[in-house]
Amino acid sequence: ALIDVGQIEAGDYIAINAASSSVGLAAIQIALHHNAIPIAITRGRGKAEALKALGAAHVIVSDEEDVPGRIMTITGGKGARIAFDAVAGQPLAALLSAMAPRGVVIVYGMLAGYSVELMLPLLMQGNLALHGFAADRLIKDAADRARVVDYIAKGMASGALKPVIDRTFDIADVAEAHRYLES
């Protein structure tokens, strides 16, 4: 999504909602790999230091801070060129005011709900693109799938992409592993 839809480039500010999720952590690594500037958005202060340690250039704690205001401050008033959003709902509406002109908002999750009321003038005046994204797009087509596998393999071989392993479990403890994951 960041590569094909967002057309990520060096120097781009990338706002990443749900940044401490596995997809969010991968997005931070992809942004860094392309010399972009990841702005991690998380709900809890306790995750901020870990996100910085994993490469986030900036961390915004949404439970404590004005997310659009902080994005505008971080970007010197320019706004984020790409927003990678797993949250949707009202937080998505707020992101629109923190986007750079011709920015791209990529929605791939709905943690805050299935619907949202948007201020269309923000979309129109900013010439913003609002793009839905489902990962199945990357696996249905053999050529796309091969390209993704190649990108990941090269990124892992170079060290630019690294799986973040929180904890391991024995196979006999699969039920405990699922409970831990859900927690």
Side-chain angles (χ1 to χ4, degrees):
L2 292 174
I3 296 163
D4 291 346
V5 176
Q7 300 290 307
I8 191 171
E9 295 180 3
D12 284 344
Y13 285 95
I14 315 296
I16 304 166
N17 259 339
S20 59
S21 70
S22 57
V23 174
L25 296 176
I28 290 169
Q29 291 181 26
I30 291 168
L32 293 170
H33 184 53
H34 290 268
N35 296 310
I37 305 158
I39 302 170
I41 304 167
T42 187
R43 287 185 297 156
R45 173 71 48 202
K47 299 175 184 176
E49 287 307 314
L51 287 166
K52 285 182 184 176
L54 292 167
H58 305 275
V59 177
I60 301 171
V61 180
S62 62
D63 285 351
E64 301 172 8
E65 302 176 79
D66 168 29
V67 173
R70 282 277 290 128
I71 291 172
M72 294 307 284
T73 298
I74 289 165
T75 63
K78 295 177 185 175
R81 201 187 68 73
I82 302 171
F84 192 54
D85 183 31
V87 179
Q90 284 313 116
L92 168 60
L95 276 178
L96 294 183
S97 65
M99 296 302 297
R102 298 185 181 176
V104 180
V105 180
I106 303 165
V107 180
Y108 74 94
M110 299 168 282
L111 294 171
Y114 296 163
S115 63
V116 61
E117 184 175 319
L118 298 175
M119 297 300 295
L120 293 178
L122 291 173
L123 248 147
M124 296 162 61
Q125 292 166 353
N127 290 294
L128 303 178
L130 179 60
H131 193 97
F133 187 84
D136 67 341
R137 166 187 165 185
L138 300 175
I139 58 173
K140 285 183 178 177
D141 179 77
D144 285 341
R145 187 173 50 254
R147 193 172 37 81
V148 170
V149 168
D150 183 60
Y151 179 87
I152 293 169
K154 285 178 179 172
M156 290 181 71
S158 73
L161 303 178
K162 301 173 198 156
V164 178
I165 300 170
D166 179 62
R167 189 170 161 193
T168 60
F169 294 84
D170 290 331
I171 193 68
D173 298 325
V174 70
E176 182 186 344
H178 277 278
R179 279 191 294 277
Y180 181 73
L181 181 62
E182 289 174 357
S183 73

